[in-house]
Amino acid sequence: MIPPQEASVRRREIEDKLKQEEETLSFIRDSLEKSDQLTKNMVSILSSFESRLMKLENSIIPVHKQTENLQRLQENVEKTLSCLDHVISYYHVASDTEKIIREGPTGRLEEYLGCMAKIQKAVEYFQDNNPDSPELNRVKFLFERGKESLESEFRSLMTRHSKVVSPVLILDLISGDDEMEAPDDMTLEHLSESVLLDVNRISRWLVEYGRNQDFMNVYYQIRSSQLDRSIKGLKEHFRKSSSSSGVPYSPAIPNKRKDTPTKKPVKRPGTIRKAQNLLKQYSQHGLDGKKGGSNLIPLEGRDDMLDMEIDAYIHCVSAFVKLAQSEYQLLMDIIPEHHQKKTFDSLIQDALDGLMMEGENIVSVARKAIIRHDYSAVLTVFPILRHLKQTKPEFDQVLQGTAASTKNKLPGLITSMETTGAKALEDFADNIKNDPDKEYNMPKDGTVHELTSNAILFLQQLLDFQETAGAMLASQETSSSATSYNSEFSKRLLSTYICKVLGNLQLNLLSKSKVYEDPALRAIFLHNNYNYILKSLEKSELIHLVAVTQKTAERSYREHIEQQIQTYQRSWLKVTDYISEKNLPVFQPGVKLRDKERQMIKERFKGFNDGLEELCKIQKAWAIPDTEQRDKIRQAQKTIVKENYGAFLHRYASVPFTKNPEKYIKYRVEQVADMIERLFDTSA
């Protein structure tokens, strides 16, 4: 049981806590009431604010819409004003640009093209919006007038600034291919940069806006004339230089022995001039100062003028390639791409036709000369044909994209030259074989016949054109082997041809030798000709060409030469037979000779003396031009005669067969040798 005192304390504590809780509850109740009041006030404020916002919105939205409409109206007005200004400007274009259009574009192309652009826009506007307007006719008239002025300006610029390329510049351009340190960018500047820019702008405007292609005809006509005149000027330069100094200006262009195609297109035909000098020398003097004869026209008459013409033509061909390349580069900067090939084709026609016509004229002259048996003319075809074939790759590249008729012109000329050259070669071989035996044309001294020297010299020229000559012969072949033409095939064909000519020549010489009644002179004649042929073959590369198909040719000629020497030596038998030991009287020393024996000895001496004198007199006028062969034949004959005559003298000089020994013993051994030493020496 709790004491009363503690219970009283606890009750007071509980009452105190209860009182505190009541106070707290009362505070909370007051706070809630205040909060409710504040909430009511806030709700009232928000409701009032919402009401005001709604009133403001209802006032502002109409104003905004009205402002937006006003802005749209303002923009429409501005656009309308701008369009009106733009339209009104078209009505002023004619008056604004008329003066400039009338004065032309010279010196102010930029401004002029700007005016033309305005006029063009005006034309388009009136056509689309007011086709019945008188202003349309006015701006159309200005546009056409301006277009004509631009066309005239294009023609004027091209005419004023297109200059003929000087011959010296062309030759320097050509020589650049053969100079080891030639600049890679060596090009021609046909038009200055400013002029080229103006021409290009006019060209583009005429194509894009002027709908006009006539200027392309103007372009190719002007440039075609300059190209043609440049090439003709080069040819005239050669002609004038040749007539004034004899040596036309030309850069150092080496002449190569072989005509294997290379990238060096220009070759001076020096072999022609070399042949000319040799042919004149031999045709006038033979090998010993005597002139032979033949119905073949001698390979002479090729003068410096003809050589110049050939040289000029070869350079003109190379000039055409270089100038055409340069023209195409210029054309690409002026003519629209899809018109370039056609315009270029037209541009080069005159110059190309001129070259082809001149080439055909050369072929025609060669054909006529062949009919006359003047085979020197074919030498003009060889260097030209070789150069054309060497230049053909560049030709093909330059003419790429042109018409087929244009591309086929050079191959047609090459084929024509090959056919003519092959005909000349075959006719030459036939004429060598069929050259008639004309007694009055035969060399009286038995020297080399003109037919031989001409034939050999002609063949020697083929060495400088082996590929060309081989191609000529191959072009006439119809066998399957010809279809697989190569260098070796060409070489064999040329070797076969040379062997054919040499064979025909040998047969003809044998026939001609029969004109000589004296077998010894006949032998000397054949010896001289065979020896000349052999030495000529050995001194040149002909012997190597012959050996391709005829390995024993050299040995065969040596055998023929030796055979003729032996035939000649038999002519001395009628002299040496008198002093040979056969049929000589046998006698004993100190025994008196009988009359018959003395008479026989006298006849032997007399026969020897007369025969020696007669042979020396006749053979002294004969000729052996080859010093080595002449000495060899003399020495061999001296040996034979000296041995026989020396033995004969030794036996009978001291025999009393006559009272007048000086009458019969007219010559000492040394005198006989001296007489033989003077054989074949017309100057003695």
Side-chain angles (χ1 to χ4, degrees):
M1 181 175 179
I2 300 173
Q5 189 178 356
E6 291 181 3
S8 176
V9 173
R10 293 200 54 180
R11 187 171 57 249
R12 281 196 301 274
E13 290 177 354
I14 293 169
E15 288 177 353
D16 289 339
K17 287 183 180 180
L18 179 61
K19 187 179 181 178
Q20 290 178 355
E21 291 293 336
E22 287 177 351
E23 289 176 356
T24 301
L25 180 62
S26 177
F27 176 76
I28 292 172
R29 187 180 295 112
D30 291 341
S31 296
L32 287 173
E33 289 177 357
K34 289 180 181 179
S35 176
D36 288 341
Q37 186 63 39
L38 289 173
T39 300
K40 290 178 181 179
N41 291 340
M42 179 60 67
V43 170
S44 176
I45 292 171
L46 289 174
S47 297
S48 175
F49 184 71
E50 181 181 6
S51 175
R52 290 179 181 180
L53 281 178
M54 289 180 64
K55 290 180 180 179
L56 179 62
E57 182 178 351
N58 292 334
S59 300
I60 290 300
I61 288 176
V63 173
H64 173 73
K65 290 182 178 179
Q66 186 177 7
T67 303
E68 189 178 51
N69 290 334
L70 288 173
Q71 287 176 341
R72 188 178 298 110
L73 289 173
Q74 183 180 3
E75 289 175 0
N76 290 339
V77 170
E78 289 176 352
K79 287 181 180 178
T80 302
L81 290 174
S82 175
C83 288
L84 286 173
D85 289 340
H86 183 67
V87 170
I88 292 171
S89 69
Y90 289 131
Y91 286 87
H92 293 292
V93 166
S95 57
D96 291 343
T97 60
E98 185 174 9
K99 180 182 178 182
I100 296 175
I101 297 302
R102 185 174 62 250
E103 292 175 352
T106 304
R108 51 176 176 185
L109 182 61
E110 183 76 26
E111 182 182 7
Y112 195 88
L113 291 177
C115 290
M116 289 299 294
K118 292 179 181 179
I119 295 171
Q120 183 183 7
K121 290 180 180 179
V123 170
E124 293 172 353
Y125 171 80
F126 288 119
Q127 284 178 337
D128 293 339
N129 299 281
N130 194 1
D132 297 328
S133 171
E135 285 296 323
L136 175 60
N137 294 330
R138 189 178 179 188
V139 291
K140 269 188 174 181
F141 172 77
L142 281 178
F143 184 81
E144 292 300 321
R145 184 173 181 177
K147 185 169 71 171
E148 291 174 0
S149 295
L150 284 172
E151 292 171 358
S152 298
E153 180 69 5
F154 183 89
R155 180 187 293 274
S156 176
L157 287 172
M158 291 302 304
T159 303
R160 291 200 317 268
H161 298 281
S162 292
K163 305 298 182 182
V164 174
V165 183
S166 70
V168 173
L169 185 57
I170 294 175
L171 289 169
D172 286 340
L173 186 67
I174 296 172
S175 69
D177 282 344
D178 284 316
E179 294 176 1
M180 295 180 62
E181 298 182 359
D184 294 335
D185 58 346
M186 185 178 183
T187 57
L188 295 174
E189 185 183 81
H190 296 288
L191 301 176
S192 66
E193 186 175 351
S194 60
V195 173
L196 181 60
L197 180 62
D198 287 349
V199 170
N200 176 266
R201 296 186 66 184
I202 295 174
S203 167
R204 285 190 286 111
W205 189 93
L206 289 173
V207 171
E208 186 174 354
Y209 303 109
R211 306 293 190 271
N212 188 311
Q213 297 182 7
D214 292 342
F215 76 95
M216 299 181 196
N217 296 332
V218 171
Y219 177 85
Y220 91 69
Q221 289 168 1
I222 293 173
R223 293 308 307 172
S224 175
S225 174
Q226 300 304 324
L227 174 62
D228 192 42
R229 288 169 60 194
S230 296
I231 293 177
K232 289 178 178 177
L234 176 63
K235 185 175 181 181
E236 186 64 24
H237 171 76
F238 272 85
R239 184 176 290 109
K240 289 181 179 180
S241 299
S242 179
S243 60
S244 61
S245 64
V247 181
Y249 166 81
S250 179
I253 303 174
N255 176 49
K256 295 187 177 181
R257 183 70 172 177
K258 300 286 185 180
D259 62 331
T260 304
T262 66
K263 292 184 179 180
K264 315 304 181 194
V266 182
K267 308 292 179 195
R268 294 180 58 84
T271 55
I272 295 178
R273 188 172 289 114
K274 175 185 69 177
Q276 171 189 333
N277 297 333
L278 290 173
L279 294 170
K280 286 182 177 180
Q281 171 187 347
Y282 285 113
S283 62
Q284 292 173 359
H285 304 295
L287 289 176
D288 64 342
K290 301 290 184 177
K291 184 176 181 179
S294 168
N295 80 318
L296 288 174
I297 296 176
L299 303 181
E300 57 183 4
R302 184 179 302 281
D303 53 19
D304 289 337
M305 184 57 68
L306 177 59
D307 201 13
M308 181 280 299
E309 291 290 342
I310 298 168
D311 210 7
Y313 183 74
I314 287 177
H315 280 79
C316 286
V317 170
S318 294
F320 172 81
V321 173
K322 293 297 182 184
L323 293 177
Q325 289 172 341
S326 180
E327 287 293 341
Y328 193 76
Q329 293 297 321
L330 176 66
L331 179 142
M332 287 194 299
D333 291 332
I334 298 173
I335 304 300
E337 183 177 357
H338 54 287
H339 293 286
Q340 290 174 359
K341 296 294 184 182
K342 182 179 179 181
T343 304
F344 180 69
D345 197 344
S346 301
L347 189 156
I348 62 174
Q349 285 303 315
D350 287 347
L352 181 59
D353 286 344
L355 284 177
M356 296 302 104
M357 184 179 298
E358 190 172 350
E360 289 294 347
N361 289 339
I362 292 171
V363 172
S364 178
V365 169
R367 286 172 180 160
K368 293 176 182 178
I370 292 168
I371 294 174
R372 301 192 309 269
H373 304 309
D374 176 11
Y375 298 101
S376 62
V378 78
L379 293 179
T380 64
V381 175
F382 274 99
I384 293 173
L385 176 58
R386 176 177 67 180
H387 185 67
L388 289 179
K389 296 182 76 171
Q390 290 175 344
T391 314
K392 187 177 181 297
E394 289 185 272
F395 250 98
D396 293 342
Q397 184 178 6
V398 169
L399 302 183
Q400 186 178 7
T402 58
S405 58
T406 303
K407 293 178 182 177
N408 292 334
K409 287 181 179 180
L410 180 64
L413 178 59
I414 289 175
T415 299
S416 180
M417 286 191 170
E418 283 188 333
T419 302
T420 301
K423 180 69 165 59
L425 292 175
E426 291 302 321
D427 282 10
F428 180 79
D430 291 341
N431 275 273
I432 291 293
K433 180 179 181 179
N434 301 321
D435 186 63
D437 305 327
K438 296 179 180 178
E439 185 174 352
Y440 61 86
N441 273 338
M442 294 295 288
K444 299 184 183 303
D445 56 3
T447 189
V448 176
H449 197 281
E450 188 178 21
L451 177 69
T452 302
S453 60
N454 283 345
I456 293 299
L457 286 168
F458 185 86
L459 293 179
Q460 285 177 338
Q461 303 320 301
L462 300 186
L463 289 174
D464 299 280
F465 306 99
Q466 292 183 40
E467 291 287 341
T468 305
M472 284 180 176
L473 296 170
S475 68
Q476 305 305 303
E477 290 288 320
T478 57
S479 63
S480 58
S481 59
T483 60
S484 59
Y485 168 75
N486 54 41
S487 179
E488 187 62 31
F489 177 70
S490 166
K491 195 172 185 180
R492 291 190 66 82
L493 277 180
L494 188 57
S495 175
T496 301
Y497 173 77
I498 292 173
C499 291
K500 177 181 177 181
V501 172
L502 293 175
N504 290 349
L505 177 60
Q506 187 173 340
L507 290 174
N508 200 309
L509 289 173
L510 283 171
S511 177
K512 289 183 184 300
S513 68
K514 296 175 183 178
V515 172
Y516 297 113
E517 295 180 0
D518 190 334
L521 181 54
R522 189 181 308 154
I524 290 297
F525 171 76
L526 291 175
H527 164 273
N528 284 333
N529 282 272
Y530 292 156
N531 184 64
Y532 176 84
I533 294 171
L534 178 59
K535 289 298 178 65
S536 299
L537 294 178
E538 290 177 334
K539 288 180 181 178
S540 66
E541 296 178 19
L542 279 173
I543 193 66
H544 302 304
L545 265 179
V546 170
V548 171
T549 55
Q550 205 171 94
K551 305 293 185 182
T552 61
E554 184 175 0
R555 184 180 66 187
S556 177
Y557 273 110
R558 294 193 186 281
E559 291 174 354
H560 288 319
I561 292 169
E562 190 60 35
Q563 182 181 352
Q564 298 309 318
I565 292 175
Q566 293 174 6
T567 301
Y568 162 75
Q569 289 176 341
R570 284 197 288 271
S571 69
W572 281 83
L573 290 178
K574 62 182 180 181
V575 176
T576 56
D577 276 351
Y578 284 107
I579 57 177
S580 64
E581 293 187 2
K582 63 181 181 179
N583 301 323
L584 284 176
V586 180
F587 59 90
Q588 298 296 326
V591 178
K592 186 177 182 181
L593 296 176
R594 291 176 294 178
D595 292 341
K596 182 180 180 180
E597 293 173 336
R598 285 196 298 272
Q599 185 61 34
M600 183 178 292
I601 295 172
K602 290 178 182 179
E603 289 176 357
R604 294 298 180 91
F605 269 108
K606 185 177 186 304
F608 172 80
N609 294 334
D610 292 345
L612 177 66
E613 292 168 356
E614 180 185 1
L615 280 184
C616 288
K617 180 180 179 181
I618 294 172
Q619 296 183 8
K620 180 181 178 182
W622 297 354
I624 299 180
D626 189 314
T627 305
E628 181 181 348
Q629 286 292 312
R630 184 168 63 236
D631 293 342
K632 175 183 175 182
I633 292 174
R634 283 174 177 171
Q635 187 59 43
Q637 206 55 53
K638 280 194 299 184
T639 300
I640 295 172
V641 176
K642 282 173 64 177
E643 288 180 358
N644 284 274
Y645 186 60
F648 185 76
L649 277 183
H650 180 71
R651 176 177 291 188
Y652 295 107
S654 59
V655 175
F657 65 92
T658 179
K659 294 180 180 179
N660 301 308
E662 66 279 357
K663 179 181 177 180
Y664 297 97
I665 307 177
K666 296 172 64 174
Y667 303 105
R668 300 189 307 277
V669 174
E670 291 74 13
Q671 289 177 306
V672 171
D674 187 59
M675 292 172 69
I676 296 174
E677 186 64 32
R678 290 197 293 271
L679 297 179
F680 317 116
D681 188 358
T682 56
S683 63

